[in-house]
Amino acid sequence: MLLINSSSKDTMKIFQSFFPVTVPMGVGCLIAAAEKEGIKIGFIDEQVEGDMLSEVRNKVACMEKPYIFGFSVVTAGLKSSLVLSRELKRLYPGSVVVFGGVHPTAMPDEVLSYGHIDIVVRGEGEEAIVGIYKCIKAGEDFSHLGNISYRRDGEVVHNKKDFILEDMDNYPPFPYHIFSPDKYDLGFVMSSRGCPYKCIFCSNRVTTALKYRYKSTEAIINDLDLLHQQYGKTHIGFYDDNFLVNKDRVYKLVDAIRKRGLHKNMTFSLQARGDNVDIPILKALYDTGFNSVFFGLETASEKIMKTIKKGETVAQCISAVEMAKKIGFQVSATFIYGLPGDTHEDRMDCVKLSKKLKLDMVRFNNATPYPGTELYEIAKIENRLNIQGVYENFVSVSTFIENPLRPIPFTYIPEGNTEAQIRSDLLFSYFSFYLDIEKIKSIFARPDKNLGWFNAGEKISKRINKLPALGFLGIMFLLKLAQLFYYNVIKKETRISFRHFLKIFDGLRLSGKRAG
């Protein structure tokens, strides 16, 4: 069996050179499950490989027929997955093509409408991928396997979705050893899966449902110790969807980290909800080396917070940020523009709030109705779902990363808004927040605190190597700024006036006064 992570090399567009390559965690978990059953499994990652077909040929030379090609697929990577899988089916007749991941789970019928795809794994795939391998090699049918969809006699069959990983310690530790430190940032741990909340824009629960589970304290400590001792990692990001769902397990974990002495040589970051934090838990985390926290603030409007079913209030989020900042955390956050009911005034309130709270890093995303989410269904009902090609515009950070000469069309524009207005508000927010000398200095001086959002190199040699990319990035930013001025101040197509435009530079002026 050969597992393939389909992810384009330019997913971050003009920022690609400044983002670490993240390990495909889902693929890693499948490999661990297969190895536990003695199944020999190969792996190729489109993020880091050049000629994918050559890589496949090299792997296939060591495989036995029938060849099984398993693709891990997110919505943005569907097109590249289809192109490669179709070519593999042509080159290796009789091979079996399996698609799994978030998008196939949400859209199994759509995926199976492509005739060269044989099987879809729906949901968590550890048990399914092992079962598929054994059935194919033994020549058995799939009627007894849960969590899969396939064609039988020309008809699509959806077997019962009956498996979800209850005990995360039932499978081996994450196989960090198969990912080269030269190609990937290995500084991460996933200590839990799932989230019990019902946000309408979140696609993660498509695979995990609302089931929340976590690893034992011992298993997490072993991962941390391995990453520090064997790979020399000194900062670890906890990639849990929601780290603080169960506070009892967090208190046990921080106690174990201190007992092992890991906090003396390592620091950690986490992401959490505002309503899950309080002073005692934040203090315990901070005293154990946790120095960065990320909150999904989403909006400054209590009305929109209810619309998106976040299950918390703006006031709770503000309180959480203030508590974290007071204790000493580096605090990062996201806001989402273009949610149902969102207005220009709501978006301007978001950027005001981001500055008032003195956040360290912020992403202003455009609302993206990923398949499987309630937002996707809302967009369909409103007849406002805009799919370009094979979901090629499903990028929640499109305005931030796109080439200004080749804008990526939005997937959803709520009633009462235009794409031009939302895009202008996004650009205004980014420039207004980041055109600040102190923030720029911090981003470049402490890349370890940027939570994987931007890294121009921690050593002088790496920064020098990235000078051409930095130059290109600077030119793109100047073009974006010029476009913002032209369409808003000259053509007056949106509601950002010349006076508002000048506010973008407040951070530069104030920083100059502080320095003087």
Side-chain angles (χ1 to χ4, degrees), residues 475-492:
I475 292 171
M476 291 298 102
F477 272 148
L478 287 175
L479 284 173
K480 286 175 184 280
L481 190 60
Q483 284 187 334
L484 187 65
F485 179 81
Y486 177 73
Y487 287 110
N488 290 277
V489 179
I490 304 298
K491 298 194 72 175
K492 302 184 186 305

Side-chain angles (χ1 to χ4, degrees), residues 61-181:
C62 304
M63 294 167 58
E64 296 180 357
K65 292 183 177 181
Y67 304 136
I68 306 171
F69 299 114
F71 286 77
S72 178
V73 185
V74 295
T75 299
L78 179 61
K79 181 179 179 180
S80 61
S81 303
L82 292 172
V83 171
L84 180 57
S85 59
R86 188 178 290 113
E87 183 64 10
L88 294 184
K89 195 75 167 183
R90 184 186 70 80
L91 291 172
Y92 304 102
S95 61
V96 179
V97 174
V98 183
F99 269 36
V102 176
H103 190 90
T105 296
M107 310 289 281
D109 289 286
E110 174 197 72
V111 171
L112 285 170
S113 71
Y114 296 95
H116 68 283
I117 299 172
D118 301 294
I119 306 170
V120 162
V121 175
R122 309 189 323 272
E124 296 177 344
E126 284 91 343
E127 193 167 289
I129 201 71
V130 170
I132 288 169
Y133 178 91
K134 291 181 177 179
C135 284
I136 291 172
K137 294 302 181 181
E140 300 174 354
D141 67 26
F142 307 122
S143 58
H144 64 289
L145 294 182
N147 289 32
I148 71 166
S149 299
Y150 58 102
R151 282 184 299 274
R152 184 170 60 202
D153 299 327
E155 298 292 327
V156 173
V157 176
H158 300 292
N159 287 2
K160 183 180 178 182
K161 192 174 181 182
D162 62 357
F163 167 74
I164 190 163
L165 185 61
E166 294 284 353
D167 185 351
M168 289 186 67
D169 291 335
N170 271 346
Y171 285 102
F174 189 85
Y176 294 99
H177 62 278
I178 68 172
F179 301 100
S180 169

Side-chain angles (χ1 to χ4, degrees), residues 410-427:
F410 285 177
T411 52
Y412 172 72
I413 302 166
E415 185 178 359
N417 292 270
T418 66
E419 181 169 329
Q421 180 68 72
I422 297 174
R423 179 174 272 107
S424 290
D425 289 348
L426 283 163
L427 287 176

Side-chain angles (χ1 to χ4, degrees), residues 180-350:
S180 169
D182 296 330
K183 297 180 178 180
Y184 298 94
D185 177 8
L186 298 183
F188 78 92
V189 164
M190 181 173 279
S191 69
S192 67
R193 283 191 193 180
C195 179
Y197 298 92
K198 301 178 180 179
C199 308
I200 68 171
F201 54 83
C202 180
S203 60
N204 288 350
R205 71 166 192 235
V206 172
T207 53
T208 61
L210 298 176
K211 188 75 173 177
Y212 177 76
R213 299 133 292 154
Y214 53 89
K215 288 184 178 180
S216 66
T217 299
E218 182 182 4
I220 300 167
I221 292 296
N222 288 340
D223 281 346
L224 295 177
D225 200 45
L226 171 74
L227 289 169
H228 180 59
Q229 297 296 334
Q230 187 165 326
Y231 297 101
K233 305 305 295 185
T234 57
H235 181 82
I236 301 297
F238 279 82
Y239 278 12
D240 306 46
D241 291 334
N242 188 349
F243 187 73
L244 298 178
V245 171
N246 186 309
K247 291 182 183 176
D248 287 340
R249 76 106 183 182
V250 174
Y251 279 117
K252 290 177 183 177
L253 176 59
V254 297
D255 285 344
I257 289 173
R258 285 197 290 265
K259 286 178 182 177
R260 186 71 69 95
L262 294 171
H263 64 301
K264 297 176 182 178
N265 302 303
M266 304 179 77
T267 56
F268 313 97
S269 59
L270 71 144
Q271 56 185 28
R273 286 169 54 94
D275 62 343
N276 285 163
V277 305
D278 53 41
I279 290 291
I281 194 74
L282 287 173
K283 189 73 168 58
L285 288 164
Y286 191 76
D287 291 343
T288 311
F290 285 81
N291 60 10
S292 301
V293 58
F294 163 78
F295 293 108
L297 300 186
E298 324 308 0
T299 179
S301 164
E302 295 288 8
K303 179 181 177 182
I304 294 175
M305 195 69 97
K306 291 179 181 177
T307 298
I308 63 178
K309 300 182 180 179
K310 192 75 191 292
E312 62 183 347
T313 66
V314 174
Q316 287 174 314
C317 291
I318 291 173
S319 176
V321 172
E322 290 175 341
M323 284 188 285
K325 293 289 288 185
K326 184 176 181 180
I327 288 172
F329 278 91
Q330 168 115 350
V331 181
S332 302
T334 56
F335 290 94
I336 304 176
Y337 287 5
L339 291 163
D342 190 25
T343 66
H344 169 71
E345 288 76 17
D346 292 326
R347 297 188 284 272
M348 293 302 97
D349 286 343
C350 288

Side-chain angles (χ1 to χ4, degrees), residues 17-78:
S17 301
F18 305 101
F19 282 80
V21 178
T22 56
V23 171
M25 289 174 282
V27 172
C29 291
L30 296 181
I31 291 172
E35 288 182 344
K36 180 186 178 184
E37 297 295 320
I39 297 172
K40 188 176 180 181
I41 200 161
F43 165 63
I44 304 176
D45 189 352
E46 195 172 356
Q47 293 183 103
V48 299
E49 300 299 344
D51 187 342
M52 288 294 289
L53 290 178
S54 292
E55 291 296 325
V56 171
R57 279 194 292 269
N58 292 336
K59 298 287 186 181
V60 165
C62 304
M63 294 167 58
E64 296 180 357
K65 292 183 177 181
Y67 304 136
I68 306 171
F69 299 114
F71 286 77
S72 178
V73 185
V74 295
T75 299
L78 179 61

